[in-house]
Short mmCIF file of all heavy atoms in Angstrom, two decimals:
data_model
loop_
_atom_site.label_atom_id
_atom_site.label_comp_id
_atom_site.label_asym_id
_atom_site.label_seq_id
_atom_site.Cartn_x
_atom_site.Cartn_y
_atom_site.Cartn_z
N MET P 212 -249.82 -0.35 -132.67
CA MET P 212 -250.38 -1.36 -133.52
C MET P 212 -251.77 -1.70 -133.00
O MET P 212 -252.00 -1.83 -131.80
CB MET P 212 -249.47 -2.60 -133.51
CG MET P 212 -250.00 -3.74 -134.30
SD MET P 212 -248.92 -5.14 -134.29
CE MET P 212 -248.49 -5.16 -135.98
N LEU P 213 -252.69 -1.90 -133.89
CA LEU P 213 -254.06 -2.23 -133.50
C LEU P 213 -254.18 -3.74 -133.26
O LEU P 213 -253.59 -4.54 -133.97
CB LEU P 213 -255.03 -1.83 -134.61
CG LEU P 213 -255.16 -0.35 -134.89
CD1 LEU P 213 -256.07 -0.12 -136.09
CD2 LEU P 213 -255.68 0.37 -133.68
N HIS P 214 -254.93 -4.08 -132.24
CA HIS P 214 -255.16 -5.48 -131.94
C HIS P 214 -256.42 -5.95 -132.63
O HIS P 214 -257.41 -5.24 -132.70
CB HIS P 214 -255.32 -5.69 -130.42
CG HIS P 214 -254.10 -5.29 -129.68
ND1 HIS P 214 -252.99 -6.06 -129.62
CD2 HIS P 214 -253.81 -4.19 -128.93
CE1 HIS P 214 -252.06 -5.47 -128.91
NE2 HIS P 214 -252.56 -4.34 -128.44
N ARG P 215 -256.34 -7.14 -133.22
CA ARG P 215 -257.52 -7.71 -133.90
C ARG P 215 -258.51 -8.18 -132.84
O ARG P 215 -258.13 -8.68 -131.79
CB ARG P 215 -257.11 -8.86 -134.77
CG ARG P 215 -256.23 -8.43 -135.92
CD ARG P 215 -255.96 -9.56 -136.87
NE ARG P 215 -257.17 -10.05 -137.46
CZ ARG P 215 -257.63 -9.73 -138.64
NH1 ARG P 215 -256.96 -8.88 -139.37
NH2 ARG P 215 -258.73 -10.26 -139.11
N HIS P 216 -259.77 -8.02 -133.13
CA HIS P 216 -260.81 -8.50 -132.25
C HIS P 216 -261.88 -9.23 -133.07
O HIS P 216 -261.93 -9.09 -134.29
CB HIS P 216 -261.45 -7.36 -131.45
CG HIS P 216 -262.09 -6.32 -132.32
ND1 HIS P 216 -261.37 -5.34 -132.93
CD2 HIS P 216 -263.37 -6.14 -132.70
CE1 HIS P 216 -262.19 -4.59 -133.65
NE2 HIS P 216 -263.43 -5.06 -133.52
N ALA P 217 -262.69 -9.99 -132.40
CA ALA P 217 -263.72 -10.79 -133.06
C ALA P 217 -264.79 -9.86 -133.65
O ALA P 217 -265.07 -8.81 -133.10
CB ALA P 217 -264.34 -11.76 -132.09
N THR P 218 -265.34 -10.27 -134.78
CA THR P 218 -266.39 -9.49 -135.43
C THR P 218 -267.69 -9.68 -134.66
O THR P 218 -268.06 -10.79 -134.31
CB THR P 218 -266.60 -9.97 -136.88
OG1 THR P 218 -265.35 -9.87 -137.57
CG2 THR P 218 -267.66 -9.19 -137.55
N ASP P 219 -268.33 -8.57 -134.36
CA ASP P 219 -269.62 -8.63 -133.69
C ASP P 219 -270.70 -8.84 -134.77
O ASP P 219 -271.06 -7.88 -135.49
CB ASP P 219 -269.87 -7.36 -132.89
CG ASP P 219 -271.14 -7.39 -132.09
OD1 ASP P 219 -271.76 -8.48 -132.02
OD2 ASP P 219 -271.53 -6.35 -131.54
N VAL P 220 -271.16 -10.05 -134.91
CA VAL P 220 -272.05 -10.42 -136.02
C VAL P 220 -273.39 -9.69 -135.91
O VAL P 220 -273.91 -9.21 -136.91
CB VAL P 220 -272.27 -11.96 -136.03
CG1 VAL P 220 -273.22 -12.35 -137.14
CG2 VAL P 220 -270.95 -12.67 -136.20
N VAL P 221 -273.90 -9.54 -134.71
CA VAL P 221 -275.22 -8.87 -134.53
C VAL P 221 -275.13 -7.39 -134.99
O VAL P 221 -275.98 -6.91 -135.72
CB VAL P 221 -275.68 -8.96 -133.07
CG1 VAL P 221 -276.95 -8.16 -132.85
CG2 VAL P 221 -275.88 -10.43 -132.69
N SER P 222 -274.05 -6.72 -134.59
CA SER P 222 -273.89 -5.32 -134.98
C SER P 222 -273.70 -5.20 -136.49
O SER P 222 -274.22 -4.29 -137.13
CB SER P 222 -272.71 -4.71 -134.28
OG SER P 222 -272.92 -4.69 -132.90
N LEU P 223 -272.96 -6.15 -137.07
CA LEU P 223 -272.77 -6.15 -138.52
C LEU P 223 -274.08 -6.29 -139.27
O LEU P 223 -274.37 -5.53 -140.19
CB LEU P 223 -271.82 -7.26 -138.91
CG LEU P 223 -271.58 -7.47 -140.42
CD1 LEU P 223 -270.86 -6.29 -141.02
CD2 LEU P 223 -270.83 -8.76 -140.65
N VAL P 224 -274.88 -7.25 -138.84
CA VAL P 224 -276.16 -7.50 -139.54
C VAL P 224 -277.09 -6.32 -139.40
O VAL P 224 -277.72 -5.87 -140.38
CB VAL P 224 -276.80 -8.82 -139.03
CG1 VAL P 224 -278.22 -8.95 -139.55
CG2 VAL P 224 -275.97 -10.00 -139.47
N PHE P 225 -277.27 -5.78 -138.19
CA PHE P 225 -278.16 -4.65 -137.99
C PHE P 225 -277.65 -3.40 -138.72
O PHE P 225 -278.42 -2.63 -139.23
CB PHE P 225 -278.41 -4.36 -136.53
CG PHE P 225 -279.48 -5.20 -135.90
CD1 PHE P 225 -279.14 -6.34 -135.20
CD2 PHE P 225 -280.80 -4.87 -136.10
CE1 PHE P 225 -280.15 -7.14 -134.69
CE2 PHE P 225 -281.82 -5.67 -135.62
CZ PHE P 225 -281.49 -6.80 -134.88
N GLY P 226 -276.35 -3.23 -138.79
CA GLY P 226 -275.79 -2.12 -139.55
C GLY P 226 -276.11 -2.22 -141.04
O GLY P 226 -276.44 -1.25 -141.68
N LEU P 227 -276.00 -3.46 -141.56
CA LEU P 227 -276.35 -3.65 -142.98
C LEU P 227 -277.83 -3.44 -143.22
O LEU P 227 -278.21 -2.88 -144.26
CB LEU P 227 -275.99 -5.09 -143.36
CG LEU P 227 -274.49 -5.37 -143.52
CD1 LEU P 227 -274.24 -6.85 -143.75
CD2 LEU P 227 -273.89 -4.58 -144.66
N ILE P 228 -278.68 -3.86 -142.27
CA ILE P 228 -280.12 -3.64 -142.43
C ILE P 228 -280.45 -2.16 -142.43
O ILE P 228 -281.18 -1.66 -143.30
CB ILE P 228 -280.91 -4.38 -141.33
CG1 ILE P 228 -280.84 -5.89 -141.56
CG2 ILE P 228 -282.37 -3.93 -141.30
CD1 ILE P 228 -281.36 -6.72 -140.41
N PHE P 229 -279.91 -1.42 -141.47
CA PHE P 229 -280.16 0.03 -141.42
C PHE P 229 -279.60 0.74 -142.65
O PHE P 229 -280.26 1.65 -143.18
CB PHE P 229 -279.59 0.65 -140.13
CG PHE P 229 -280.35 0.27 -138.90
CD1 PHE P 229 -279.68 -0.17 -137.76
CD2 PHE P 229 -281.73 0.32 -138.85
CE1 PHE P 229 -280.38 -0.53 -136.65
CE2 PHE P 229 -282.44 -0.03 -137.74
CZ PHE P 229 -281.75 -0.45 -136.60
N ALA P 230 -278.43 0.38 -143.09
CA ALA P 230 -277.85 1.00 -144.28
C ALA P 230 -278.68 0.70 -145.52
O ALA P 230 -278.90 1.56 -146.36
CB ALA P 230 -276.40 0.54 -144.47
N GLY P 231 -279.17 -0.54 -145.64
CA GLY P 231 -280.00 -0.91 -146.78
C GLY P 231 -281.29 -0.18 -146.83
O GLY P 231 -281.73 0.32 -147.86
N PHE P 232 -281.98 -0.06 -145.67
CA PHE P 232 -283.25 0.64 -145.66
C PHE P 232 -283.04 2.15 -145.84
O PHE P 232 -283.89 2.81 -146.44
CB PHE P 232 -284.02 0.36 -144.34
CG PHE P 232 -284.70 -0.98 -144.38
CD1 PHE P 232 -284.42 -1.90 -143.37
CD2 PHE P 232 -285.60 -1.31 -145.36
CE1 PHE P 232 -285.06 -3.13 -143.39
CE2 PHE P 232 -286.19 -2.56 -145.38
CZ PHE P 232 -285.94 -3.46 -144.39
N THR P 233 -281.91 2.68 -145.38
CA THR P 233 -281.62 4.10 -145.67
C THR P 233 -281.39 4.32 -147.15
O THR P 233 -281.88 5.31 -147.71
CB THR P 233 -280.39 4.53 -144.84
OG1 THR P 233 -280.66 4.32 -143.46
CG2 THR P 233 -280.08 5.99 -145.09
N ALA P 234 -280.69 3.39 -147.78
CA ALA P 234 -280.47 3.49 -149.23
C ALA P 234 -281.79 3.43 -149.99
O ALA P 234 -281.99 4.19 -150.94
CB ALA P 234 -279.53 2.42 -149.71
N VAL P 235 -282.69 2.55 -149.59
CA VAL P 235 -284.01 2.46 -150.24
C VAL P 235 -284.78 3.75 -150.04
O VAL P 235 -285.42 4.24 -150.95
CB VAL P 235 -284.77 1.23 -149.74
CG1 VAL P 235 -286.21 1.26 -150.19
CG2 VAL P 235 -284.08 -0.06 -150.18
N TRP P 236 -284.72 4.29 -148.85
CA TRP P 236 -285.44 5.53 -148.54
C TRP P 236 -284.92 6.67 -149.40
O TRP P 236 -285.66 7.47 -149.96
CB TRP P 236 -285.30 5.86 -147.04
CG TRP P 236 -285.87 7.21 -146.71
CD1 TRP P 236 -287.19 7.55 -146.61
CD2 TRP P 236 -285.15 8.37 -146.42
NE1 TRP P 236 -287.32 8.84 -146.24
CE2 TRP P 236 -286.07 9.39 -146.12
CE3 TRP P 236 -283.77 8.69 -146.35
CZ2 TRP P 236 -285.69 10.67 -145.81
CZ3 TRP P 236 -283.41 9.95 -146.03
CH2 TRP P 236 -284.36 10.94 -145.76
N VAL P 237 -283.56 6.76 -149.53
CA VAL P 237 -282.98 7.82 -150.36
C VAL P 237 -283.36 7.65 -151.82
O VAL P 237 -283.72 8.62 -152.51
CB VAL P 237 -281.44 7.83 -150.19
CG1 VAL P 237 -280.80 8.71 -151.24
CG2 VAL P 237 -281.05 8.33 -148.81
N LEU P 238 -283.34 6.41 -152.33
CA LEU P 238 -283.72 6.18 -153.69
C LEU P 238 -285.20 6.48 -153.94
O LEU P 238 -285.59 6.97 -154.98
CB LEU P 238 -283.41 4.72 -154.09
CG LEU P 238 -281.92 4.36 -154.19
CD1 LEU P 238 -281.74 2.89 -154.39
CD2 LEU P 238 -281.25 5.16 -155.29
N ARG P 239 -286.03 6.20 -152.96
CA ARG P 239 -287.49 6.44 -153.07
C ARG P 239 -287.78 7.96 -153.07
O ARG P 239 -288.57 8.44 -153.88
CB ARG P 239 -288.23 5.74 -151.95
CG ARG P 239 -289.70 6.07 -151.87
CD ARG P 239 -290.48 5.47 -153.02
NE ARG P 239 -291.88 5.76 -152.85
CZ ARG P 239 -292.54 6.52 -153.74
NH1 ARG P 239 -291.98 6.96 -154.83
NH2 ARG P 239 -293.83 6.77 -153.54
N THR P 240 -287.14 8.69 -152.15
CA THR P 240 -287.42 10.12 -152.07
C THR P 240 -286.81 10.86 -153.24
O THR P 240 -287.31 11.95 -153.59
CB THR P 240 -286.87 10.73 -150.78
OG1 THR P 240 -285.48 10.44 -150.64
CG2 THR P 240 -287.63 10.16 -149.58
N SER P 241 -285.75 10.34 -153.88
CA SER P 241 -285.19 11.03 -155.03
C SER P 241 -285.88 10.64 -156.31
O SER P 241 -285.57 11.20 -157.39
CB SER P 241 -283.69 10.72 -155.13
OG SER P 241 -283.47 9.33 -155.33
N GLY P 242 -286.82 9.68 -156.29
CA GLY P 242 -287.58 9.31 -157.45
C GLY P 242 -286.93 8.27 -158.34
O GLY P 242 -287.38 8.03 -159.44
N VAL P 243 -285.84 7.65 -157.89
CA VAL P 243 -285.16 6.66 -158.71
C VAL P 243 -285.98 5.36 -158.76
O VAL P 243 -286.04 4.70 -159.82
CB VAL P 243 -283.74 6.40 -158.15
CG1 VAL P 243 -283.05 5.24 -158.90
CG2 VAL P 243 -282.92 7.66 -158.17
N ILE P 244 -286.59 4.95 -157.63
CA ILE P 244 -287.43 3.77 -157.62
C ILE P 244 -288.85 4.18 -157.24
O ILE P 244 -289.05 5.21 -156.57
CB ILE P 244 -286.90 2.69 -156.65
CG1 ILE P 244 -286.83 3.21 -155.20
CG2 ILE P 244 -285.54 2.19 -157.11
CD1 ILE P 244 -286.45 2.17 -154.19
N ASP P 245 -289.82 3.38 -157.62
CA ASP P 245 -291.22 3.68 -157.28
C ASP P 245 -291.63 2.81 -156.09
O ASP P 245 -290.83 2.06 -155.53
CB ASP P 245 -292.15 3.50 -158.48
CG ASP P 245 -292.18 2.09 -159.00
OD1 ASP P 245 -291.45 1.22 -158.49
OD2 ASP P 245 -292.97 1.83 -159.93
N PHE P 246 -292.89 2.94 -155.72
CA PHE P 246 -293.38 2.28 -154.48
C PHE P 246 -293.33 0.75 -154.63
O PHE P 246 -292.97 0.07 -153.66
CB PHE P 246 -294.83 2.73 -154.24
CG PHE P 246 -295.37 2.34 -152.89
CD1 PHE P 246 -294.88 2.97 -151.77
CD2 PHE P 246 -296.31 1.34 -152.79
CE1 PHE P 246 -295.38 2.62 -150.52
CE2 PHE P 246 -296.80 0.97 -151.54
CZ PHE P 246 -296.33 1.63 -150.41
N ASP P 247 -293.64 0.20 -155.78
CA ASP P 247 -293.60 -1.27 -155.96
C ASP P 247 -292.16 -1.80 -155.84
O ASP P 247 -291.94 -2.86 -155.28
CB ASP P 247 -294.21 -1.65 -157.27
CG ASP P 247 -295.71 -1.40 -157.34
OD1 ASP P 247 -296.34 -1.43 -156.26
OD2 ASP P 247 -296.22 -1.16 -158.44
N GLN P 248 -291.22 -1.11 -156.42
CA GLN P 248 -289.82 -1.52 -156.32
C GLN P 248 -289.32 -1.41 -154.92
O GLN P 248 -288.45 -2.19 -154.48
CB GLN P 248 -288.97 -0.71 -157.27
CG GLN P 248 -289.24 -0.96 -158.74
CD GLN P 248 -288.56 0.04 -159.64
OE1 GLN P 248 -288.26 1.15 -159.25
NE2 GLN P 248 -288.25 -0.40 -160.86
N MET P 249 -289.81 -0.43 -154.18
CA MET P 249 -289.38 -0.28 -152.79
C MET P 249 -289.83 -1.49 -151.97
O MET P 249 -289.08 -1.98 -151.14
CB MET P 249 -290.02 1.00 -152.18
CG MET P 249 -289.58 1.27 -150.76
SD MET P 249 -290.35 2.74 -150.07
CE MET P 249 -292.03 2.21 -149.89
N TRP P 250 -291.04 -1.98 -152.19
CA TRP P 250 -291.53 -3.13 -151.45
C TRP P 250 -290.80 -4.40 -151.81
O TRP P 250 -290.73 -5.36 -151.04
CB TRP P 250 -293.03 -3.31 -151.62
CG TRP P 250 -293.74 -2.35 -150.75
CD1 TRP P 250 -294.40 -1.20 -151.14
CD2 TRP P 250 -293.91 -2.41 -149.34
NE1 TRP P 250 -294.93 -0.58 -150.07
CE2 TRP P 250 -294.65 -1.30 -148.94
CE3 TRP P 250 -293.47 -3.29 -148.36
CZ2 TRP P 250 -294.95 -1.01 -147.60
CZ3 TRP P 250 -293.77 -3.05 -147.05
CH2 TRP P 250 -294.51 -1.90 -146.68
N LEU P 251 -290.24 -4.51 -153.01
CA LEU P 251 -289.45 -5.65 -153.39
C LEU P 251 -288.04 -5.56 -152.83
O LEU P 251 -287.38 -6.56 -152.62
CB LEU P 251 -289.39 -5.77 -154.91
CG LEU P 251 -290.68 -6.18 -155.60
CD1 LEU P 251 -290.53 -6.13 -157.10
CD2 LEU P 251 -291.11 -7.55 -155.14
N ALA P 252 -287.54 -4.38 -152.56
CA ALA P 252 -286.18 -4.21 -152.06
C ALA P 252 -286.07 -4.58 -150.60
O ALA P 252 -285.03 -5.09 -150.17
CB ALA P 252 -285.72 -2.77 -152.26
N ALA P 253 -287.12 -4.38 -149.81
CA ALA P 253 -287.07 -4.70 -148.37
C ALA P 253 -286.77 -6.15 -148.10
O ALA P 253 -285.84 -6.43 -147.32
CB ALA P 253 -288.39 -4.24 -147.72
N PRO P 254 -287.47 -7.11 -148.68
CA PRO P 254 -287.09 -8.52 -148.43
C PRO P 254 -285.69 -8.85 -148.93
O PRO P 254 -285.01 -9.67 -148.33
CB PRO P 254 -288.15 -9.31 -149.17
CG PRO P 254 -289.28 -8.40 -149.38
CD PRO P 254 -288.71 -7.03 -149.43
N ALA P 255 -285.30 -8.23 -150.03
CA ALA P 255 -283.97 -8.50 -150.56
C ALA P 255 -282.88 -8.03 -149.59
O ALA P 255 -281.85 -8.72 -149.40
CB ALA P 255 -283.76 -7.81 -151.93
N ILE P 256 -283.12 -6.90 -148.94
CA ILE P 256 -282.17 -6.41 -147.95
C ILE P 256 -282.11 -7.36 -146.76
O ILE P 256 -280.98 -7.69 -146.27
CB ILE P 256 -282.57 -5.00 -147.46
CG1 ILE P 256 -282.39 -4.02 -148.58
CG2 ILE P 256 -281.79 -4.56 -146.24
CD1 ILE P 256 -283.03 -2.66 -148.32
N LEU P 257 -283.23 -7.82 -146.29
CA LEU P 257 -283.23 -8.74 -145.14
C LEU P 257 -282.57 -10.08 -145.49
O LEU P 257 -281.84 -10.65 -144.65
CB LEU P 257 -284.66 -8.97 -144.67
CG LEU P 257 -285.38 -7.75 -144.05
CD1 LEU P 257 -286.82 -8.08 -143.75
CD2 LEU P 257 -284.63 -7.30 -142.81
N ILE P 258 -282.79 -10.57 -146.68
CA ILE P 258 -282.18 -11.85 -147.11
C ILE P 258 -280.68 -11.67 -147.21
O ILE P 258 -279.88 -12.52 -146.78
CB ILE P 258 -282.80 -12.35 -148.39
CG1 ILE P 258 -284.24 -12.80 -148.16
CG2 ILE P 258 -281.96 -13.47 -149.01
CD1 ILE P 258 -285.03 -13.09 -149.40
N ALA P 259 -280.23 -10.58 -147.81
CA ALA P 259 -278.78 -10.31 -147.96
C ALA P 259 -278.11 -10.15 -146.60
O ALA P 259 -277.00 -10.70 -146.39
CB ALA P 259 -278.56 -9.11 -148.83
N ALA P 260 -278.71 -9.42 -145.70
CA ALA P 260 -278.13 -9.23 -144.36
C ALA P 260 -278.09 -10.57 -143.62
O ALA P 260 -277.12 -10.84 -142.91
CB ALA P 260 -278.94 -8.19 -143.57
N GLY P 261 -279.11 -11.38 -143.78
CA GLY P 261 -279.10 -12.69 -143.13
C GLY P 261 -278.03 -13.59 -143.69
O GLY P 261 -277.36 -14.36 -142.95
N ALA P 262 -277.81 -13.55 -144.99
CA ALA P 262 -276.77 -14.35 -145.62
C ALA P 262 -275.38 -13.90 -145.14
O ALA P 262 -274.51 -14.75 -144.85
CB ALA P 262 -276.86 -14.24 -147.13
N VAL P 263 -275.17 -12.61 -145.04
CA VAL P 263 -273.89 -12.09 -144.52
C VAL P 263 -273.70 -12.54 -143.08
O VAL P 263 -272.61 -12.95 -142.67
CB VAL P 263 -273.81 -10.59 -144.67
CG1 VAL P 263 -272.60 -10.03 -143.91
CG2 VAL P 263 -273.72 -10.19 -146.13
N GLY P 264 -274.76 -12.45 -142.29
CA GLY P 264 -274.69 -12.88 -140.88
C GLY P 264 -274.38 -14.33 -140.73
O GLY P 264 -273.55 -14.74 -139.91
N LEU P 265 -275.02 -15.18 -141.52
CA LEU P 265 -274.76 -16.63 -141.48
C LEU P 265 -273.32 -16.94 -141.91
O LEU P 265 -272.64 -17.76 -141.28
CB LEU P 265 -275.76 -17.38 -142.34
CG LEU P 265 -277.12 -17.61 -141.72
CD1 LEU P 265 -278.05 -18.23 -142.80
CD2 LEU P 265 -277.07 -18.46 -140.51
N THR P 266 -272.89 -16.29 -142.98
CA THR P 266 -271.55 -16.53 -143.47
C THR P 266 -270.50 -16.12 -142.42
O THR P 266 -269.53 -16.83 -142.18
CB THR P 266 -271.31 -15.74 -144.76
OG1 THR P 266 -272.31 -16.11 -145.72
CG2 THR P 266 -269.93 -16.00 -145.33
N THR P 267 -270.71 -14.98 -141.79
CA THR P 267 -269.78 -14.49 -140.77
C THR P 267 -269.81 -15.39 -139.55
O THR P 267 -268.76 -15.66 -138.97
CB THR P 267 -270.12 -13.06 -140.39
OG1 THR P 267 -270.18 -12.25 -141.57
CG2 THR P 267 -269.10 -12.49 -139.45
N ALA P 268 -270.98 -15.82 -139.13
CA ALA P 268 -271.08 -16.63 -137.92
C ALA P 268 -270.54 -18.06 -138.11
O ALA P 268 -270.02 -18.65 -137.16
CB ALA P 268 -272.52 -16.70 -137.48
N LEU P 269 -270.63 -18.60 -139.33
CA LEU P 269 -270.24 -19.98 -139.56
C LEU P 269 -268.81 -20.13 -140.06
O LEU P 269 -268.36 -21.26 -140.24
CB LEU P 269 -271.22 -20.64 -140.50
CG LEU P 269 -272.65 -20.77 -140.00
CD1 LEU P 269 -273.53 -21.39 -141.09
CD2 LEU P 269 -272.70 -21.58 -138.75
N ARG P 270 -268.13 -19.05 -140.34
CA ARG P 270 -266.76 -19.19 -140.86
C ARG P 270 -265.85 -19.65 -139.72
O ARG P 270 -266.05 -19.38 -138.54
CB ARG P 270 -266.26 -17.88 -141.42
CG ARG P 270 -265.97 -16.88 -140.38
CD ARG P 270 -265.47 -15.57 -140.95
NE ARG P 270 -265.33 -14.67 -139.84
CZ ARG P 270 -264.64 -13.60 -139.86
NH1 ARG P 270 -264.00 -13.27 -140.94
NH2 ARG P 270 -264.56 -12.81 -138.79
N PRO P 271 -264.81 -20.44 -140.10
CA PRO P 271 -263.92 -20.97 -139.05
C PRO P 271 -263.08 -19.84 -138.45
O PRO P 271 -262.75 -18.86 -139.13
CB PRO P 271 -263.07 -21.96 -139.81
CG PRO P 271 -263.18 -21.60 -141.25
CD PRO P 271 -264.52 -20.93 -141.43
N SER P 272 -262.74 -20.02 -137.21
CA SER P 272 -261.96 -19.02 -136.49
C SER P 272 -260.52 -19.10 -136.98
O SER P 272 -259.95 -20.17 -137.13
CB SER P 272 -262.03 -19.29 -135.00
OG SER P 272 -261.18 -18.40 -134.31
N ARG P 273 -259.91 -17.96 -137.22
CA ARG P 273 -258.55 -17.92 -137.65
C ARG P 273 -257.57 -17.87 -136.46
O ARG P 273 -256.38 -17.97 -136.63
CB ARG P 273 -258.28 -16.70 -138.53
CG ARG P 273 -259.06 -16.74 -139.80
CD ARG P 273 -258.76 -15.55 -140.66
NE ARG P 273 -259.61 -15.60 -141.84
CZ ARG P 273 -259.71 -14.62 -142.66
NH1 ARG P 273 -259.07 -13.50 -142.49
NH2 ARG P 273 -260.51 -14.72 -143.73
N ARG P 274 -258.07 -17.63 -135.29
CA ARG P 274 -257.27 -17.49 -134.09
C ARG P 274 -256.96 -18.88 -133.55
O ARG P 274 -257.83 -19.72 -133.38
CB ARG P 274 -258.08 -16.70 -133.06
CG ARG P 274 -257.20 -16.06 -132.03
CD ARG P 274 -258.00 -15.19 -131.12
NE ARG P 274 -259.04 -14.50 -131.86
CZ ARG P 274 -260.11 -13.96 -131.28
NH1 ARG P 274 -260.29 -14.06 -130.03
NH2 ARG P 274 -261.01 -13.33 -131.99
N PRO P 275 -255.68 -19.17 -133.26
CA PRO P 275 -255.37 -20.49 -132.69
C PRO P 275 -255.96 -20.62 -131.29
O PRO P 275 -256.10 -19.64 -130.54
CB PRO P 275 -253.84 -20.51 -132.65
CG PRO P 275 -253.43 -19.09 -132.65
CD PRO P 275 -254.51 -18.33 -133.40
N ALA P 276 -256.31 -21.84 -130.96
CA ALA P 276 -256.93 -22.08 -129.63
C ALA P 276 -255.87 -21.83 -128.55
O ALA P 276 -254.75 -22.30 -128.63
CB ALA P 276 -257.43 -23.51 -129.54
N GLN P 277 -256.25 -21.10 -127.52
CA GLN P 277 -255.37 -20.81 -126.42
C GLN P 277 -255.73 -21.71 -125.26
O GLN P 277 -256.91 -21.91 -124.99
CB GLN P 277 -255.47 -19.34 -126.00
CG GLN P 277 -255.03 -18.40 -127.09
CD GLN P 277 -255.17 -16.95 -126.67
OE1 GLN P 277 -255.72 -16.66 -125.64
NE2 GLN P 277 -254.69 -16.05 -127.50
N PRO P 278 -254.73 -22.21 -124.50
CA PRO P 278 -255.05 -23.04 -123.35
C PRO P 278 -255.75 -22.22 -122.29
O PRO P 278 -255.51 -21.02 -122.16
CB PRO P 278 -253.69 -23.56 -122.90
CG PRO P 278 -252.70 -22.58 -123.43
CD PRO P 278 -253.32 -22.03 -124.69
N ALA P 279 -256.61 -22.90 -121.52
CA ALA P 279 -257.30 -22.19 -120.45
C ALA P 279 -256.32 -21.83 -119.37
O ALA P 279 -255.34 -22.55 -119.11
CB ALA P 279 -258.39 -23.14 -119.89
N PRO P 280 -256.54 -20.67 -118.72
CA PRO P 280 -255.62 -20.27 -117.64
C PRO P 280 -255.74 -21.25 -116.46
O PRO P 280 -256.78 -21.89 -116.27
CB PRO P 280 -256.13 -18.87 -117.26
CG PRO P 280 -257.52 -18.81 -117.74
CD PRO P 280 -257.60 -19.71 -118.93
N PRO P 281 -254.68 -21.38 -115.71
CA PRO P 281 -254.72 -22.33 -114.58
C PRO P 281 -255.76 -21.89 -113.55
O PRO P 281 -256.00 -20.70 -113.33
CB PRO P 281 -253.33 -22.24 -114.00
CG PRO P 281 -252.72 -20.98 -114.50
CD PRO P 281 -253.42 -20.70 -115.77
N SER P 282 -256.38 -22.84 -112.92
CA SER P 282 -257.40 -22.60 -111.94
C SER P 282 -256.88 -22.92 -110.56
O SER P 282 -256.13 -23.91 -110.38
CB SER P 282 -258.62 -23.44 -112.26
OG SER P 282 -259.51 -23.45 -111.20
N TYR P 283 -257.27 -22.16 -109.56
CA TYR P 283 -256.86 -22.44 -108.18
C TYR P 283 -257.60 -23.63 -107.64
O TYR P 283 -257.17 -24.27 -106.67
CB TYR P 283 -257.09 -21.21 -107.30
CG TYR P 283 -256.17 -20.07 -107.71
CD1 TYR P 283 -256.68 -18.90 -108.29
CD2 TYR P 283 -254.78 -20.14 -107.50
CE1 TYR P 283 -255.84 -17.90 -108.65
CE2 TYR P 283 -253.94 -19.11 -107.84
CZ TYR P 283 -254.48 -17.97 -108.42
OH TYR P 283 -253.67 -16.95 -108.76
N ALA P 284 -258.73 -23.99 -108.21
CA ALA P 284 -259.50 -25.13 -107.73
C ALA P 284 -258.75 -26.43 -108.01
O ALA P 284 -258.97 -27.45 -107.31
CB ALA P 284 -260.86 -25.14 -108.41
N ASP P 285 -257.85 -26.44 -108.97
CA ASP P 285 -257.07 -27.65 -109.28
C ASP P 285 -256.05 -27.97 -108.20
O ASP P 285 -255.63 -29.12 -108.05
CB ASP P 285 -256.33 -27.49 -110.63
CG ASP P 285 -257.29 -27.35 -111.80
OD1 ASP P 285 -258.43 -27.80 -111.66
OD2 ASP P 285 -256.87 -26.77 -112.82
N GLU P 286 -255.64 -26.98 -107.39
CA GLU P 286 -254.64 -27.20 -106.37
C GLU P 286 -255.23 -27.81 -105.11
O GLU P 286 -254.47 -28.31 -104.28
CB GLU P 286 -253.96 -25.89 -106.03
CG GLU P 286 -253.20 -25.31 -107.22
CD GLU P 286 -252.63 -23.93 -106.89
OE1 GLU P 286 -252.73 -23.48 -105.74
OE2 GLU P 286 -252.04 -23.34 -107.81
N VAL P 287 -256.52 -27.76 -104.90
CA VAL P 287 -257.15 -28.22 -103.70
C VAL P 287 -257.29 -29.72 -103.69
O VAL P 287 -257.31 -30.49 -104.49
CB VAL P 287 -258.51 -27.58 -103.47
CG1 VAL P 287 -259.18 -28.13 -102.25
CG2 VAL P 287 -258.35 -26.09 -103.41
#
C-alpha cells in the first residue's frame, strides 16, 4: 500500500510553469498560435500556476494533528 505524503507546492508550481511554456512553444512551432498570442499566453501561465500554488498552500491539512514525541529534556 502506498503511503500518502504532503504535496510539494514548489515542485508542483514549477512543473506547471515548465509544462505551460512547453505547450506554448509546441503551439508556436506548429503554427497554431502567432507571436502576439504567445506573448499573451506567458503571463496567463504564470498567473494560473500562482493561483494553483496559493490554493494548494492555503488549503487546510487533512491529516490529524499528531502529538509531539516525548523529549528526554522533560525528564531532567
Side-chain angles (χ1 to χ4, degrees):
M212 177 180 245
L213 296 175
H214 298 284
R215 294 186 62 97
H216 60 279
T218 303
D219 185 8
V220 178
V221 175
S222 297
L223 174 67
V224 170
F225 276 99
L227 289 173
I228 290 171
F229 288 133
F232 282 123
T233 302
V235 170
W236 174 74
V237 167
L238 292 172
R239 173 70 178 118
T240 56
S241 63
V243 175
I244 61 175
D245 62 357
F246 192 72
D247 293 331
Q248 292 170 332
M249 182 182 72
W250 281 105
L251 290 175
I256 292 168
L257 293 174
I258 290 170
V263 169
L265 282 174
T266 304
T267 306
L269 295 178
R270 71 180 175 161
S272 176
R273 295 181 185 171
R274 203 174 321 161
Q277 296 178 353
S282 166
Y283 293 111
D285 295 337
E286 297 175 5
V287 177

